[in-house]
Amino acid sequence: MSNAPVASWQGHDYQARFFWLHASALRDPDQTNVTEVSYEADFPKGFDDVVVRYDPPRPGSQGYRVAVHHYQIKFHVIAAGRFGYADLVDPAFTGGKAVSILRRLQEAKTKAPEGAAFTLVTTDRIRDGDPLLDLLSSDDRRIRLDKLFVAGGDKSRMGIVRKLWREDLGLENDEQLRDVISGFGIHEGHASLEEMRDAVNDRFRIVGLTTC
């Protein structure tokens, strides 16, 4: 219990540094399309830690341009954390008791405008051999829909993933799942707290802000 306050403080500090990394773009003449950066936004719940808005929208990897990017930040004080596709339907994975991160994504998509992207940022890493590793794009860490929705029934490697996710979301078919997963990304093994401070300081130097 004695480490709990430290872990909580560091988690908030990590989120704040992630915010400032993006907020510095508001002073960058080369990123004039960044129009707003919010910290602990009003909605959508589960993807409200940091929200970045773009006008005009920025290019995306899945056939549409991103007008708003919602981030969920998950920080752990140790680097030993591992997770897989099944954890995305486990509420405990993101500190909840009843609603999984995929359920939060599903709810968020009902409120978000067209052209929204959603990203889970975590210092944990995907477990070796987990199917989730096969799905992340090296371009922008979006879930690759072409890899998730390959041919194969519910007992195939990706079919098992789709079935579990469909059932958690209460969906009837893969097309409904595609709509939920589209635009969702995972930045696993994200930078350490110290690396985030260095990154923010580098950005601050570029835009003329005082470093920490």
Side-chain angles (χ1 to χ4, degrees):
M1 294 295 292
S2 60
N3 291 329
V6 174
S8 177
W9 176 82
Q10 289 184 334
H12 286 295
D13 198 22
Y14 193 90
Q15 182 178 328
R17 292 176 187 184
F18 190 92
F19 164 80
W20 282 112
L21 191 61
H22 287 275
S24 62
L26 293 168
R27 291 178 55 93
D28 190 340
D30 293 328
Q31 298 188 68
T32 56
N33 66 325
V34 178
T35 60
E36 181 181 304
V37 183
S38 304
Y39 184 90
E40 294 289 353
D42 292 335
F43 79 95
K45 188 173 182 180
F47 285 93
D48 55 357
D49 287 345
V50 174
V51 179
V52 184
R53 298 185 185 278
Y54 302 93
D55 186 17
R58 64 180 297 178
S61 67
Q62 295 187 350
Y64 67 90
R65 300 180 72 87
V66 176
V68 55
H69 203 146
H70 299 268
Y71 293 93
Q72 165 73 9
I73 315 297
K74 183 173 181 287
F75 173 81
H76 277 153
V77 296
I78 59 173
R82 297 293 182 271
F83 68 99
Y85 76 95
D87 293 288
L88 300 185
V89 301
D90 181 2
F93 173 59
T94 48
K97 294 182 178 180
V99 184
S100 70
I101 186 69
L102 284 190
R103 281 285 184 95
R104 292 298 186 199
L105 174 64
Q106 184 182 38
E107 293 171 359
K109 284 215 160 185
T110 66
K111 303 176 182 178
E114 185 178 354
F118 301 84
T119 297
L120 169 65
V121 178
T122 175
T123 51
D124 292 346
R125 296 184 179 276
I126 296 175
R127 195 175 296 112
D128 289 346
D130 191 274
L132 198 55
L133 275 176
D134 301 339
L135 297 176
L136 289 190
S137 166
S138 293
D139 179 12
D140 56 5
R141 298 303 182 187
R142 300 272 82 78
I143 296 290
R144 289 190 54 176
L145 302 180
D146 59 328
K147 296 295 185 181
L148 177 60
F149 295 99
V150 293
D154 288 346
K155 293 184 179 180
S156 65
R157 180 173 172 81
M158 289 302 164
I160 294 172
V161 176
R162 296 194 301 266
K163 181 176 185 294
L164 181 66
W165 290 359
R166 285 198 317 267
E167 291 177 346
D168 179 67
L169 298 174
L171 302 176
E172 297 179 355
N173 55 59
D174 281 351
E175 283 307 307
Q176 293 175 334
L177 179 62
R178 181 187 292 269
D179 290 340
V180 175
I181 299 300
S182 175
F184 177 52
I186 302 173
H187 284 200
E188 51 100 26
H190 203 259
S192 69
L193 192 60
E194 288 297 309
E195 289 170 335
M196 287 292 284
R197 182 180 64 182
D198 292 342
V200 170
N201 281 340
D202 287 344
R203 289 291 303 148
F204 275 20
R205 290 187 185 96
I206 292 172
V207 299
L209 294 174
T210 302
T211 59
C212 176

